[in-house]
Amino acid sequence: MTIKLNHTIVHSHDPRASAEFLTSLFGLPAATRFGPFHVVQVDNEVSLDFLSGDGMEIPMQHYAFLVSESEFDEIFGRMQAGGVRYWADPGQKQEGEINHHFGGRGVYFEDPSGHLLEIITRPYGNWPG
Ligand SMILES: [Fe+2]
């Protein structure tokens, strides 16, 4: 099988601001432009293509990123320094906490358009032992 997710469109109130939020927080190269899109490339050949919602109501989507332990430290440090609100749970009840599911670390936060983002250091289902 050679089927890989290649890109997805992320509707945003302000696609440039949303792309910059993600690239600066994650320490990624600046977004590139492709037509109306602000394209953020991540490391597994997938891009998030931010596009203006043109005033439409933007339904919340969830995007989870697998990061290394050191990347988690860097990203989480930038979140704390930047005053980004975060939660240990997707229901956003446990504010100011992270989780330790699957023997790793995980945390949820919102992008400028209200999409729920997540960074994890272990994929779901990868229970130790
Ligand atoms: Fe998730």
Side-chain angles (χ1 to χ4, degrees), residues 86-103:
Y86 59 92
W87 297 265
D89 62 310
Q92 297 175 283
K93 299 281 191 286
Q94 302 168 58
E95 185 169 358
E97 299 174 40
I98 69 169
N99 67 63
H100 294 86
H101 300 326
F102 312 108

Side-chain angles (χ1 to χ4, degrees), residues 4-26:
K4 299 174 180 177
L5 181 65
N6 180 259
H7 65 273
T8 187
I9 292 173
V10 183
H11 283 111
S12 306
H13 298 303
D14 181 340
R16 187 182 59 79
S18 293
E20 283 182 5
F21 172 81
L22 194 62
T23 56
S24 62
L25 196 61
F26 282 9

